[in-house]
Amino acid sequence: MNVRTETSRLVPRDAADVAAIVAAATGALEPVGGGSKRQIGKPVAADVLDLRALAGIVSYEPAELVLTAQAATPLAALESVLAAHSQRLVFEPPDFGALLGMAEPQTIGGVLAANLAGSRRVTAGAARDHFLGFRAVNGRGESFKAGGKVVKNVTGYDLPKLLAGSWGTLAVLTEVTIRVAPAPELDRTLVVAAGSVGECLALLGAALRSPHDVSAAGVDPQRGSLLRLEGFAASVEARTRALCDELKCEPSDVLEGAASRECWQRLAGGASLAQSPVVWRISVPPTDAPRVLERLEAEQYLVDWGGGLILAAYEAVDAARVRGALTAGHATLLKAPAEARASTPVFQPQPPAVAAAAARLRHAFDPRGILNPGRMD
Amino acid sequence: MICLPDPDPSLLARRGDIARALRAIVAEGGVVDDDVRLAAYETDALTAYRRRPLAVVLPETTAEVAAILQFAEREGVKVVPRGAGTSLSGGAIPAEDAIVVGLGKFNRILDIDYANRCVVAQSGVTNLAISHAVAPEGFYYAPDPSSQIACTIGGNVAENSGGVHCLKYGLTTNNVLGVELVTPQGEVVRLGGKHLDSGHYDLLGLTVGSEGLIGVVTEVTVRILRRPQTARALLIGFDDVEAAGACVAAIIADGIIPAGMEMMDRPAIHAAEAFVGVGYPLDVEALLIVELDGPAVEVDYLIERVRAIAERNAARGIRVSTSERERLAFWAGRKAAFPAVGRLSPDYYCMDGTIPRRELPRVLRAMAEMQQRFGLRVANVFHAGDGNLHPLILYDANVPGELERAEAFGFEILKLSVDVGGVLTGEHGVGLEKRDLMTYQFDATDLTVQHRVKHAFDPDVRFNPGKVFPTLRRCAEQGREHVHAGTERFAHLPRF
C-alpha cells in the first residue's frame, strides 16, 4: 500500500486502499467524495478520507437501463454520459451548491449516501429507489457487496436502501450500480400564477390525482404553482390541454427543455433561499402542508412533491418550532452555521425503539464508531 | 434436496405448554394445534417441502401480536410469520419447533386517503383487495404479482413482490410508504407513513424484502396511482430469440418503457396456445407481448412507434390489439403459461433468476444443452423488459430421482444467471429454495454483513429459521413428500 498522506487527509488510490485505510484507522474518518455536502449534518472531527481517485464509469448498458460507476464519479460527468444516450437519472438529484455556498462538485456516491432526490420524487421515487447495488467498505475495513447489477433483484437484504441516506455512517461506498431512465422528448413546466398558498396546494393535489401523468408539482411563492408534464411531444401537448381543462386553469407561463429543468433544479435546490442562514428540509403528508406552513411561520419557503416537501428559511435555528409544527414526517436541518448544527439534532430524532434498532445497525457495520461519528446524531 | 434445521427437542417437548400460553393471549379459536388443521399450514407454494409447526396462532390485533412475540422472546420460541402462504420460494414453510403467526385476521383496510394518494391496510389484506377498494375513484395499487387474488400485502412486503408491470411501476419497495412492524422483542414500531423518505436510516427499505427475518408486519401504507386511461398491446413473433431480444433492446433504447414486455419461447407458446387457443402463431421461435398504457393519445402514438421498431427488427407477424377484449386475449396465453405447461407434465419447477438481457441468447443456448444433460424439458417465459427469467422445468415426481434432477437443473440455471452478471432471484425471494445458493452469489464477507443485519433485529435467530442464509448444520436424513400438479396449492392462480 502506498498511500499519500497529507495532514489528516487520506487519499486511497482504489477500493483496496479504502479497505486498508479503514482497517488500519485508529481514529475517526470522514468519507468525502466531492465535498459538496460536508456542511450538512452535525460537524465531524475526523481525518478526511478523500475518495476522489475512485472516479469513472465502470460499465454502462443503455439498453439494460443500468450503470455502474466508481462512487466518487462526479455527477456532472455521469449525467453528461447519460445525456449522450438520451438517458438520465429520473430522481434528478438536487444541487444545494448555491444554497450552501459550496462550489464543490457532487459525486454519485454522495448523492446516494444522502438519498437526495429532486422534484420527481413524488412520482418516480428517490435516489434509494434507483440504487440497485454497491461495493463498500464497512467500519471494520471489510470490503463487501450487496444488491446486484440488474434492475430486478430480491436476493438478500436490500442493503442499498439502508445505505441510501446513511450519510457515510455505515460504510464507505466504493462502487455503485444505479438504474437509469430514458430522457423525455419534451420536458414542459406550466406556471400557474399564484393564488393563496392554499389554492396553490389544492391545485397541486388535483394535478397529481389527475390521469394526465403530472411528473412534478411544486409552489414557488414568487411565481405560483409549477406543474411538470414530460414525455413524447404529442403526448405532452395533449396532456397539457386535458390537464388545463380539468383544473380549469390557464398557465401564465410555459417553460420547456433547459428552462423547465432549470426551474425545477432551482426549486429542489432551494437556490432562492441562499440568502437565509438557516434552511430546513421538511417531509410531511401532502395534505398536512397548509397547516404545517402556517405553524412554521417561515420567513421564506418553497414547496415541492405536491405539498410533501417544504424548504423553510429562517434567520435562526428554532428546532422546537419547526419540529413542533409537524404531526407526521420529519425535518432535517439542511443549512445552518456549524455551531448551530453542533448543538441541534440535524436529523429528525427517532422514537426510542427505532433509535435503538438504528444504533444496533450502526454497531453491526461500524462497531468502533469511526465512520462519520456523530454526523447523524 | 434442501435441508431444514433439525428441530430443538426441548421446544418440541413443550408444545402443549406453548399452545396453552398462546391461548391465553388470543381470542377463542385463535390457536390451531391439532394435526388435522395444522396440515393446512405445513407448506406454501413450494409444495415439495412441508413441516408441521408446533402451533399456529391467529391474532386479531397488533397488541396480541406484540404479546405473542414477547412470549416467544421470553421462552425462546421460534416464529414463522405467514400471510396467505403463496410464496414460491418456501418463505412461509414452518419449522417443526416454531410457531406460525398467521395474519389472516388482519384483513381490514383502515384508511383510503385519496388526497394523499395512499391506502393504509392491515397486513393480511390481499393485494388485489387494495386495488378493488380504490377502483371506484379510478385508482389502483401498481405491483401485481400473479397471485394477487390471494397473496397478502404483508407477504408482498416480506418478499418485495414484483409482477408484470414492475418495469414501469416498480416493485413493492417502490410503492410502500410505511409499515407497522412488531420486532422480535415484541416492540411495535412505525416506519415511514404518509410522508416520503426517512429522516434517518431507511429501516422501511430494509424491512421490505426481509423475508420475515426481522419481525412481523401488521400494517402497510401503500401509494396508489390513477389507473391509466388506456392500455393496448402488441403481439410480435420472431424467428429466433436473438431477434426478439434485439427488439426489446431497441424499444428501450428508443426511450420507451412499456407497462409490460413479456417473451415466451417455442415450448411455452405451443403449450399456451394448446391450452387457451387465442391464436398465438405456432411457427415462431419467440413471441413478444408489449403493453403500453397511459393517456390514449400517447398509447396510440407509442403503439405505432413500437410497431415500426419491430418491423426493423425482423418481426414476423405483428398484431395490435384494437379492443380491450383483444388485449386480454393476447395476455390470456401468457397468463395461462404455467398451468398450460403443467398439462405437458405431471410436475414443473419454476425458476426466477434475473440476467442482463443481452445474455439471453447465451443463457437459452446453455439451457438447451442442460435439457439434454438432465433429460428434462424446459419451457421459458420471461419478463423481457427487466431480464427476469422464469424457466419452467418439466418433471414427474413419481419417477424416482426426477425431482432431484429438476432441482439440480434449476440450480444450474440460477448459477448461470449469476455467472452472466445476474442474480438468483428477481421476485420470488430466496426463502428456503435458494438459500444454499446464496454462497454462489455472495462471498463470506457479504453474507456475514447480512447476518449482522439479521442479528441487529433478531439476536437469537428465532425468526423464520432456516431461510435465506445457509447454515452449517448437517443435513439429517429426511423423507420427502411431493405433490402433483393436480393437487398443487393455489392451482387456480395464474402464474407469470
Side-chain angles (χ1 to χ4, degrees):
Chain A
M1 186 175 71
N2 176 22
V3 177
R4 188 161 58 89
T5 309
E6 300 168 12
T7 47
S8 72
R9 177 173 289 265
L10 301 157
V11 189
R13 295 161 305 180
D14 54 24
D17 278 357
V18 174
I21 289 169
V22 175
T26 53
L29 295 170
E30 180 187 3
V32 174
S36 65
K37 289 178 272 294
R38 292 186 69 193
Q39 288 180 22
I40 305 175
K42 191 158 278 196
V44 173
D47 289 345
V48 168
L49 183 58
D50 183 338
L51 299 165
R52 266 178 303 183
L54 278 71
I57 290 170
V58 176
S59 65
Y60 173 34
E61 296 279 345
E64 306 278 348
L65 301 174
V66 170
L67 181 147
T68 299
Q70 294 199 72
T73 304
L75 184 65
L78 190 150
E79 288 186 317
S80 70
V81 168
L82 292 177
H85 291 85
S86 297
Q87 293 192 333
R88 64 175 178 180
L89 299 176
V90 73
F91 58 95
E92 202 175 31
D95 181 352
F96 296 125
L99 176 68
L100 298 174
M102 303 282 283
E104 287 80 355
Q106 298 206 76
T107 62
I108 186 62
V111 165
L112 293 166
N115 188 33
L116 290 176
S119 297
R120 229 177 273 111
R121 167 68 182 100
V122 64
T123 51
R128 77 192 280 274
D129 292 291
H130 304 273
F131 189 12
L132 300 174
F134 64 79
R135 294 205 64 92
V137 174
N138 65 16
R140 304 168 190 252
E142 296 167 342
S143 182
F144 69 103
K145 68 175 181 296
K149 293 185 176 181
V150 289
V151 296
K152 195 172 179 191
N153 174 24
V154 296
T155 318
Y157 289 121
D158 193 348
L159 297 186
K161 295 280 184 306
L162 183 61
L163 259 68
S166 67
W167 291 86
T169 61
L170 297 176
V172 182
L173 292 170
T174 55
E175 181 188 286
V176 297
T177 297
I178 49 176
R179 179 180 165 144
V180 300
E185 200 171 276
L186 179 59
D187 180 337
R188 173 180 285 174
T189 299
L190 311 180
V191 183
V192 182
S196 69
V197 64
E199 286 165 357
C200 287
L201 289 166
L203 190 74
L204 308 190
L208 287 169
R209 282 191 299 279
S210 83
H212 309 304
D213 284 350
V214 171
S215 63
V219 181
D220 177 346
Q222 305 296 319
R223 310 181 79 160
S225 302
L226 308 170
L227 304 174
R228 194 175 198 176
L229 292 161
E230 300 170 89
F232 294 96
S235 168
V236 172
E237 287 295 347
R239 284 186 283 136
T240 301
R241 284 192 297 277
L243 181 69
C244 290
D245 284 352
E246 183 169 325
L247 302 181
K248 298 183 175 56
C249 70
E250 192 60 47
S252 52
D253 200 1
V254 176
L255 311 173
E256 291 189 350
S260 175
R261 286 193 295 278
E262 164 74 12
C263 164
W264 291 101
Q265 190 54 256
R266 281 183 59 81
L267 185 78
S272 64
L273 308 178
Q275 298 306 313
S276 295
V278 173
V279 176
W280 291 83
R281 193 167 189 256
I282 302 162
S283 173
V284 294
T287 55
D288 283 7
R291 192 171 38 83
V292 169
L293 277 170
E294 208 165 278
R295 294 171 67 173
L296 283 172
E297 298 181 85
E299 281 140 32
Q300 278 184 281
Y301 66 85
L302 297 167
V303 176
D304 204 346
W305 302 357
L309 183 75
I310 298 167
L311 293 181
Y314 298 90
E315 283 304 311
V317 174
D318 184 350
R321 171 167 62 181
V322 170
R323 293 202 165 111
L326 313 184
T327 49
H330 48 88
T332 303
L333 183 55
L334 179 63
K335 178 185 181 183
E339 49 286 13
R341 283 182 284 123
S343 59
T344 309
V346 170
F347 297 89
Q348 181 78 21
Q350 306 286 292
V354 178
R360 290 196 303 272
L361 282 169
R362 167 108 165 100
H363 186 79
F365 281 84
D366 181 18
R368 296 179 295 162
I370 61 167
L371 297 178
N372 264 344
R375 186 159 188 182
M376 294 188 77
D377 293 349
Chain B
M1 180 90 196
I2 304 158
C3 305
L4 291 111
D6 298 328
D8 176 347
S10 74
L11 282 167
L12 296 178
R14 285 158 57 204
R15 182 175 168 185
D17 292 341
I18 290 167
R20 256 190 304 283
L22 293 173
R23 282 203 168 84
I25 296 171
V26 296
E28 191 165 339
V31 175
V32 175
D33 65 342
D34 61 282
D35 282 349
V36 174
R37 289 200 301 149
L38 278 179
Y41 295 90
E42 282 181 344
T43 187
D44 54 17
L46 186 70
T47 49
Y49 296 87
R50 356 190 104 220
R51 285 294 176 276
R52 189 156 304 187
L54 290 172
V56 174
V57 58
L58 303 168
E60 293 181 40
T61 65
T62 300
E64 288 179 359
V65 174
I68 291 163
L69 299 195
Q70 284 160 17
F71 160 77
E73 155 95 349
R74 214 162 45 236
E75 299 293 323
V77 175
K78 295 168 190 166
V79 175
V80 177
R82 184 182 182 95
T86 56
S87 172
L88 289 162
S89 60
I93 291 178
E96 287 165 296
D97 56 354
I99 60 169
V100 168
V101 177
L103 280 305
K105 294 183 176 179
F106 279 66
N107 56 5
R108 284 183 304 127
I109 290 177
L110 302 174
D111 182 12
I112 297 176
D113 184 348
Y114 292 113
N116 286 311
R117 302 179 306 283
C118 63
V119 166
V120 183
Q122 290 187 313
S123 56
V125 170
T126 64
N127 171 296
L128 195 58
I130 295 175
S131 284
H132 280 165
V134 296
E137 295 287 324
F139 283 80
Y140 76 117
Y141 173 63
D144 58 345
S146 56
S147 55
Q148 68 179 157
I149 191 171
C151 66
T152 64
I153 192 65
N156 291 176
V157 166
E159 300 295 323
N160 191 13
S161 306
V164 168
H165 292 100
C166 60
L167 177 67
K168 182 169 178 183
Y169 295 104
L171 298 162
T172 301
T173 190
N174 311 114
N175 290 278
V176 167
L177 296 171
V179 296
E180 180 183 75
L181 174 79
V182 186
T183 68
Q185 294 73 44
E187 288 177 307
V188 180
V189 298
R190 301 191 74 88
L191 306 172
K194 292 181 178 181
H195 58 277
L196 295 172
D197 296 337
S198 172
H200 210 274
Y201 292 160
D202 187 0
L203 302 187
L204 171 63
L206 182 65
T207 300
V208 180
S210 60
E211 301 202 23
L213 266 66
I214 64 170
V216 175
V217 170
T218 47
E219 185 190 297
V220 185
T221 303
V222 298
R223 71 173 185 146
I224 52 172
L225 305 179
R226 264 306 278 265
R227 190 164 281 287
Q229 284 176 322
T230 320
R232 293 177 68 193
L234 300 100
L235 193 64
I236 312 167
F238 294 90
D239 281 334
D240 56 72
V241 171
E242 280 90 340
C247 183
V248 169
I251 290 168
I252 288 175
D254 196 44
I256 301 168
I257 302 288
M261 189 145 53
E262 295 293 312
M263 197 190 296
M264 301 163 76
D265 71 358
R266 188 183 188 93
I269 298 164
H270 281 250
E273 181 59 19
F275 189 41
V276 294
V278 287
Y280 283 178
L282 297 176
D283 58 344
V284 296
E285 289 299 317
L287 190 62
L288 198 60
I289 304 171
V290 182
E291 178 160 295
L292 298 150
D293 70 6
V297 60
E298 177 171 317
V299 171
D300 292 348
Y301 171 74
L302 291 180
I303 284 277
E304 291 312 314
R305 209 154 154 155
V306 171
R307 187 209 296 270
I309 292 168
E311 281 166 355
R312 284 199 301 276
N313 280 274
R316 200 148 72 67
I318 302 174
R319 287 171 60 196
V320 178
S321 73
T322 52
S323 66
E324 186 62 4
R325 188 156 158 247
E326 197 173 14
R327 181 183 75 87
L328 294 174
F330 288 0
W331 278 108
R334 170 63 185 87
K335 292 197 174 188
F338 286 27
V341 166
R343 296 200 322 162
L344 304 179
S345 159
D347 304 275
Y348 65 85
Y349 184 35
C350 172
M351 307 313 295
D352 177 44
T354 302
I355 59 170
R357 208 178 331 90
R358 63 176 180 276
E359 299 288 355
L360 180 63
R362 172 177 161 196
V363 169
L364 291 182
R365 275 196 301 274
M367 256 191 251
E369 180 275 323
M370 287 179 211
Q371 294 192 56
Q372 302 295 320
R373 187 149 44 86
F374 287 98
L376 295 171
R377 288 176 298 160
V378 64
N380 271 290
V381 297
F382 184 38
H383 298 306
D386 47 34
N388 189 196
L389 275 176
H390 290 319
L392 304 168
I393 300 166
L394 311 184
Y395 71 98
D396 182 349
N398 273 346
V399 176
E402 273 212 359
L403 172 58
E404 285 73 14
R405 271 214 320 280
E407 278 189 349
F409 188 168
F411 284 10
E412 198 155 318
I413 293 171
L414 294 183
K415 286 179 171 179
L416 178 62
S417 300
V418 174
D419 291 341
V420 300
V423 297
L424 295 171
T425 172
E427 58 181 357
H428 295 170
V430 176
L432 192 61
E433 183 200 19
K434 296 178 267 296
R435 178 196 66 195
D436 295 337
L437 290 174
M438 286 288 272
T439 52
Y440 199 77
Q441 183 174 334
F442 294 112
D443 68 23
T445 309
D446 304 337
L447 288 173
T448 299
V449 168
Q450 300 219 13
H451 266 295
R452 291 190 195 119
V453 170
K454 160 80 168 166
H455 280 248
F457 288 86
D458 180 17
D460 308 323
V461 198
R462 290 180 298 108
F463 270 62
N464 223 357
K467 311 289 174 62
V468 183
F469 298 114
T471 48
L472 297 174
R473 196 185 295 262
R474 260 192 73 250
C475 202
E477 187 64 31
Q478 290 169 8
R480 86 176 289 144
E481 301 93 327
H482 48 76
V483 181
H484 278 281
T487 53
E488 163 186 56
R489 281 171 62 83
F490 309 107
H492 60 293
L493 294 180
R495 300 272 181 220
F496 47 89

